[in-house]
Amino acid sequence: MTMRAADLDRVRALPLFCRATPEVFRDVTAGAFLQRFPAGTTLLMEGDTVDFLYVLLDGAVELQGSWKEKETTLALLRPVSTFILAAVVLDADALMSARTLERSEILMLSGEALRRTMRQDADFSFAVAQELSGCYRGLVRAVKNQKLRGGVERLANYLLTQRVRQGMRDPIVLPHEKRVLASLLGMSPENLSRAFANLSSYGVVVHGAEVSLGRPDALERLARPDPLIDNHMPPPSSVVGKAESERWATQTGRTCGTVLG
Amino acid sequence: MTMRAADLDRVRALPLFCRATPEVFRDVTAGAFLQRFPAGTTLLMEGDTVDFLYVLLDGAVELQGSWKEKETTLALLRPVSTFILAAVVLDADALMSARTLERSEILMLSGEALRRTMRQDADFSFAVAQELSGCYRGLVRAVKNQKLRGGVERLANYLLTQRVRQGMRDPIVLPHEKRVLASLLGMSPENLSRAFANLSSYGVVVHGAEVSLGRPDALERLARPDPLIDNHMPPPSSVVGKAESERWATQTGRTCGTVLG
DNA sequence: AGCACCGCTTGACGAATATCAATCGATCTA
DNA sequence: TAGATCGATTGATATTCGTCAAGCGGTGCT
């Protein structure tokens, strides 16, 4: 209950809640609490049963899956984003782990309360269904991205997507470590370096986290972005208006990367 | 409206509808119609706006995505399955194409009616949200499968999953052409052949569509199936009881393949 | 029967990618 | 400041995978 009014407002503005009645919002946030975590904290392990809907208010969170000592990044989240909505709705165990990449502020809503409210309010239930649909479509994009494109193509499209999200500024800045980005794009860190090197012939210059797309048109001819794969949603600056850009990975706000990769 | 009572019952039994009141079921099926398609018919193209929720009652359909002359199979559906639920809920365009693999019988429900009913009935809305959650989780499994495993490992796990679904019978039978299976598993048909050849050292013998897993234990040590990736749901024979095994790809019934791959 | 077509398999080759190792640079610490 | 640590880069090498080509074995058609 120790949360600033401004935080509550940011949650209220989420597509998931912005059309809910005051009563519904009160019900679903009943018993919610805000918590701060340092960087590198594991919030949730694969296979854990999940009792809360998480809302990232500040910081950064990585969703990852693992198999046989190997790990891969499924999504990178920035505020304001919700995650593991699907597991909460089904009251099932988590299919991915969640860990903080930076010091983060996270609101935790009772899963029980969420499900109860859904059963009582058709409009809220509908909003949840819409959110889940957006998440689903985000994953469809991810799979297509992964299966249909090669490594350099995924990187090229990632850069073009970032350019749009960062308001067409020229030196875009990578929002995460390159090792994490590599995992998101489905390649080894070494290969990401080489992929960047390849793109230099298309005008791409890298200086640390700053990447300048010298000739976006040339890069675009290589990347061939496709609205059915890459969600080039409006830059964060412009008011997002109708909560319509598909949401991603149970998260409602911006995503860092078209999508997994 | 030309549909047999038995068909209606099968639709009624879907997790999506089985808990709905008679009125809700009547509303959502209002204006629905049954249609027959020959093999190889494209029901829906990527990018098309979608006005109907599809229910596969007989036959087989493939969901695929494409980019730059390339195509990949995202899911293989068998009766009784619904598909493109997410696009219908959002009233958005389709992210994948759908085509029949065999002569198929398909029920088409009005998307408008579905959304209207959702807004009126919280329980139905909740059922849709649960269905979407299952689909979402199916895709998470798919991405993990694709990013964390190699080709042979994906095939080995596919075979083990099929063994469970087909009631542990020994010569399992591949439910689709090998070229389609290869696309589902994310490899070329040539590589699928070689992958099968590799598995011969683990007891796998292939005779056309019949595959005998000579030593399932050995195969399992290679495949390392994981409940957080492979949905080893109960064999179709045993009554599925509570509609709980996660649904896949907007589909409610059996799926042919752990998952895309 | 003969023929064409199609799906599957196999081999050879090249491209893409992972892995291992070493190095460089920046940051943090003692 | 010196040392240690960590992320990023680069090179060498092995593995995986896709592509091209040919051959095999069915099915269906005439």
Side-chain angles (χ1 to χ4, degrees), chain B residues 12 39 85 112 117 155 165 173 185 208 222:
Chain B
R12 189 81 167 97
L85 176 57
E112 237 300 286
T117 309
L155 175 59
R165 298 226 177 128
V173 36
L185 294 177
L222 170 70

mmCIF file of all heavy atoms in Angstrom, chain B residues 12 39 85 112 117 155 165 173 185 208 222:
data_model
loop_
_atom_site.group_PDB
_atom_site.id
_atom_site.type_symbol
_atom_site.label_atom_id
_atom_site.label_comp_id
_atom_site.label_asym_id
_atom_site.label_seq_id
_atom_site.Cartn_x
_atom_site.Cartn_y
_atom_site.Cartn_z
ATOM 1 N N ARG B 12 -20.218 -27.221 -29.099
ATOM 2 C CA ARG B 12 -20.689 -26.947 -27.736
ATOM 3 C C ARG B 12 -19.730 -27.496 -26.692
ATOM 4 O O ARG B 12 -19.585 -26.947 -25.599
ATOM 5 C CB ARG B 12 -22.068 -27.612 -27.543
ATOM 6 C CG ARG B 12 -22.772 -27.230 -26.265
ATOM 7 C CD ARG B 12 -23.449 -25.892 -26.437
ATOM 8 N NE ARG B 12 -24.391 -25.578 -25.375
ATOM 9 C CZ ARG B 12 -24.088 -24.815 -24.326
ATOM 10 N NH1 ARG B 12 -22.873 -24.339 -24.207
ATOM 11 N NH2 ARG B 12 -25.001 -24.523 -23.426
ATOM 12 N N ALA B 39 -9.068 -29.777 -50.452
ATOM 13 C CA ALA B 39 -7.692 -29.674 -49.969
ATOM 14 C C ALA B 39 -6.976 -28.540 -50.698
ATOM 15 O O ALA B 39 -7.225 -28.290 -51.878
ATOM 16 C CB ALA B 39 -6.963 -30.993 -50.184
ATOM 17 N N LEU B 85 -8.539 -16.679 -33.121
ATOM 18 C CA LEU B 85 -9.339 -16.044 -32.075
ATOM 19 C C LEU B 85 -8.800 -14.656 -31.711
ATOM 20 O O LEU B 85 -9.566 -13.701 -31.535
ATOM 21 C CB LEU B 85 -9.361 -16.940 -30.831
ATOM 22 C CG LEU B 85 -10.076 -16.404 -29.598
ATOM 23 C CD1 LEU B 85 -11.519 -16.061 -29.904
ATOM 24 C CD2 LEU B 85 -9.991 -17.411 -28.461
ATOM 25 N N GLU B 112 -18.263 -10.258 -35.001
ATOM 26 C CA GLU B 112 -19.082 -9.227 -34.374
ATOM 27 C C GLU B 112 -19.896 -9.811 -33.215
ATOM 28 O O GLU B 112 -19.874 -9.297 -32.095
ATOM 29 C CB GLU B 112 -20.057 -8.664 -35.436
ATOM 30 C CG GLU B 112 -19.950 -7.166 -35.638
ATOM 31 C CD GLU B 112 -20.244 -6.450 -34.346
ATOM 32 O OE1 GLU B 112 -21.418 -6.389 -33.949
ATOM 33 O OE2 GLU B 112 -19.269 -5.953 -33.746
ATOM 34 N N THR B 117 -21.122 -10.654 -27.557
ATOM 35 C CA THR B 117 -21.442 -11.575 -26.472
ATOM 36 C C THR B 117 -20.432 -11.461 -25.329
ATOM 37 O O THR B 117 -20.794 -11.527 -24.158
ATOM 38 C CB THR B 117 -21.470 -13.019 -26.990
ATOM 39 O OG1 THR B 117 -22.313 -13.089 -28.141
ATOM 40 C CG2 THR B 117 -21.975 -13.971 -25.921
ATOM 41 N N LEU B 155 13.063 -32.718 -33.445
ATOM 42 C CA LEU B 155 12.401 -33.897 -34.000
ATOM 43 C C LEU B 155 12.200 -34.970 -32.942
ATOM 44 O O LEU B 155 11.116 -35.540 -32.812
ATOM 45 C CB LEU B 155 13.231 -34.461 -35.169
ATOM 46 C CG LEU B 155 12.699 -35.767 -35.743
ATOM 47 C CD1 LEU B 155 11.269 -35.621 -36.252
ATOM 48 C CD2 LEU B 155 13.610 -36.294 -36.853
ATOM 49 N N ARG B 165 0.521 -38.713 -27.374
ATOM 50 C CA ARG B 165 -0.790 -38.352 -27.917
ATOM 51 C C ARG B 165 -1.468 -39.528 -28.585
ATOM 52 O O ARG B 165 -2.682 -39.584 -28.675
ATOM 53 C CB ARG B 165 -0.637 -37.242 -28.954
ATOM 54 C CG ARG B 165 -0.073 -35.998 -28.315
ATOM 55 C CD ARG B 165 -0.806 -34.753 -28.704
ATOM 56 N NE ARG B 165 -0.221 -33.653 -27.963
ATOM 57 C CZ ARG B 165 0.217 -32.533 -28.495
ATOM 58 N NH1 ARG B 165 0.084 -32.340 -29.789
ATOM 59 N NH2 ARG B 165 0.747 -31.594 -27.753
ATOM 60 N N VAL B 173 2.185 -42.946 -36.136
ATOM 61 C CA VAL B 173 2.038 -42.586 -37.546
ATOM 62 C C VAL B 173 2.011 -41.073 -37.675
ATOM 63 O O VAL B 173 1.250 -40.381 -36.996
ATOM 64 C CB VAL B 173 0.766 -43.243 -38.146
ATOM 65 C CG1 VAL B 173 -0.346 -43.291 -37.124
ATOM 66 C CG2 VAL B 173 0.331 -42.534 -39.403
ATOM 67 N N LEU B 185 8.819 -27.941 -37.865
ATOM 68 C CA LEU B 185 9.973 -28.082 -36.985
ATOM 69 C C LEU B 185 11.069 -27.079 -37.310
ATOM 70 O O LEU B 185 12.123 -27.057 -36.667
ATOM 71 C CB LEU B 185 10.526 -29.509 -37.069
ATOM 72 C CG LEU B 185 9.598 -30.607 -36.537
ATOM 73 C CD1 LEU B 185 10.211 -31.978 -36.735
ATOM 74 C CD2 LEU B 185 9.289 -30.371 -35.066
ATOM 75 N N GLY B 208 7.846 -45.068 -44.326
ATOM 76 C CA GLY B 208 6.798 -44.175 -44.799
ATOM 77 C C GLY B 208 6.336 -43.265 -43.683
ATOM 78 O O GLY B 208 7.144 -42.599 -43.047
ATOM 79 N N LEU B 222 18.246 -38.434 -25.177
ATOM 80 C CA LEU B 222 18.705 -37.433 -26.151
ATOM 81 C C LEU B 222 17.795 -36.212 -26.162
ATOM 82 O O LEU B 222 18.264 -35.069 -26.143
ATOM 83 C CB LEU B 222 18.730 -38.040 -27.559
ATOM 84 C CG LEU B 222 18.950 -37.029 -28.692
ATOM 85 C CD1 LEU B 222 20.353 -36.480 -28.672
ATOM 86 C CD2 LEU B 222 18.615 -37.624 -30.047
#
